Amino acid sequence: AGIKGDSLEDVTLDAGADALAVGQIGAVASEINDVTLTGGTITLNGNISTDNKAADVGDVDINGAVLLGAAVTIDTSAGNGTVNLSSTVDNAQNFVIASGAGAVVITGGIGLTTALTTLDINNAAGAGTITIDDIGDATVGVTAATRIGNAATTNIILGGTVYRTTGAQTYVAAAGNTIDLTSGAATSITTTNTAINFTTGTIELSDGSDLTVDSQGTGAGAVNITGIKGDSVEDVTLNAG
């Protein structure tokens, strides 16, 4: 079941540590303001759309492990609301976040149990800062394209140590030192026979964040990087197969 609003109502659903499942929230952005979902697991079976109500920008806060029950778009761009996911995101679906100038934070890993099909975060537009943890671990976290940011994105923060996909990975941020790797440990970005692109923005490595970029496999994809800046003599390994 879904939820419709009339004049930018807030939606709060709290299942405690139990499972929560919900369909579409807001058929159009002008129906819903803030959305807060809490559960041990949270199954999203439809899109979430929000808009601002005066100074209240229409934030989305999801507290619990997200399971994609369908292709899902979280769109807060009408009011520039933030999007905060406190835990992991799983299941073989397309997942899109569009937040405009609102910050996006995904604290848990993506596709750690079941890989997503595609992952797009503000790849078409929006200046909001994007912070994401690991994508995959020993296995891939996204099977097709991963597209993070655009040339207006203020900052991309990659706080994990593993970004592993089958499909191409593309990270785009504004010019300058705007793509930050902050784990403080060896960090690997890996695809299988597909491209890895870091464009417009320069990668900035925090202390100890040695970087390996590898489009591994026969006929491996191209690796395209605008620039890399270190903090304290980090190692950099780039392998286009």
Side-chain angles (χ1 to χ4, degrees):
I3 299 172
K4 285 177 58 65
D6 177 75
S7 54
L8 296 169
E9 287 72 31
D10 293 340
V11 173
T12 301
L13 306 177
D14 189 348
D18 293 326
L20 170 65
V22 64
Q24 183 182 64
I25 301 177
V28 295
S30 59
E31 293 181 356
I32 301 294
N33 185 224
D34 294 331
V35 173
T36 304
L37 307 177
T38 301
T41 61
I42 300 166
T43 300
L44 300 180
N45 293 313
N47 299 333
I48 300 173
S49 299
T50 69
D51 200 351
N52 67 298
K53 188 173 185 178
D56 193 346
V57 294
D59 299 328
V60 173
D61 292 296
I62 302 180
N63 306 302
V66 171
L67 302 175
L68 301 174
V72 171
T73 296
I74 298 176
D75 189 349
T76 62
S77 62
N80 297 309
T82 62
V83 178
N84 288 284
L85 278 64
S86 74
S87 187
T88 53
V89 182
D90 283 289
N91 284 354
Q93 301 287 348
N94 300 323
F95 187 40
V96 177
I97 297 175
S99 69
V104 175
V105 178
I106 302 177
T107 302
I110 296 169
L112 301 188
T113 302
T114 304
L116 277 59
T117 303
T118 61
L119 175 64
D120 293 304
I121 303 176
N122 285 354
N123 62 302
T129 297
I130 301 168
T131 303
I132 58 176
D133 206 338
D134 294 334
I135 299 177
D137 46 23
T139 58
V140 300
V142 181
T143 56
T146 296
R147 294 169 287 230
I148 308 297
N150 67 90
T153 297
T154 302
N155 191 207
I156 296 173
I157 301 168
L158 303 180
T161 58
V162 176
Y163 297 84
R164 183 185 299 274
T165 67
T166 304
Q169 296 184 42
T170 300
Y171 302 86
V172 186
N177 301 324
T178 54
I179 303 175
D180 296 330
L181 274 62
T182 63
S183 71
T187 300
S188 62
I189 298 168
T190 309
T191 64
T192 304
N193 298 327
T194 53
I196 300 172
N197 302 299
F198 286 86
T199 61
T200 312
T202 294
I203 296 172
E204 188 169 30
L205 306 177
S206 69
D207 184 12
S209 295
D210 297 334
L211 174 63
T212 299
V213 177
D214 188 359
S215 58
Q216 60 189 214
T218 304
V223 173
N224 301 294
I225 297 175
T226 297
I228 302 172
K229 181 179 181 293
D231 178 82
S232 55
V233 197
E234 284 69 38
D235 294 337
V236 174
T237 302
L238 307 178
N239 182 17

